[in-house]
Amino acid sequence: MGTKTVSGHTFYKFRRLTTENEKQITFCNPNGEHFELLRENSGNLVNEDGVIQFTNNDF
């Protein structure tokens, strides 16, 4: 979806579209289109707050 530079870091814009969660199941994403910015840091995807969202480590 593109990139955006924030505080000198290049973030990638990810789009997530969720459907079929009319019952609002807790462990599923809410219905709708959602966007988030993530950047790569030492093999991890990190959000704008510096929190690791995805890691390449096998725990």
Side-chain angles (χ1 to χ4, degrees):
M1 297 283 327
T3 61
K4 180 178 181 179
T5 302
V6 178
S7 300
H9 297 287
T10 300
F11 285 83
Y12 297 88
K13 187 174 182 180
F14 287 84
R15 174 185 174 258
R16 180 181 74 232
L17 177 63
T18 304
T19 60
E20 303 296 326
N21 190 15
E22 283 73 23
K23 294 183 181 179
Q24 298 181 355
I25 299 169
T26 303
F27 298 109
C28 298
N29 294 321
N31 282 341
E33 184 176 42
H34 307 277
F35 293 92
E36 64 182 326
L37 295 174
L38 300 173
R39 67 181 174 90
E40 190 278 332
N41 182 12
S42 300
N44 301 311
L45 287 179
V46 179
N47 68 12
E48 293 174 275
D49 298 324
V51 177
I52 296 173
Q53 298 295 302
F54 301 98
T55 184
N56 65 355
N57 294 327
D58 184 10
F59 294 109

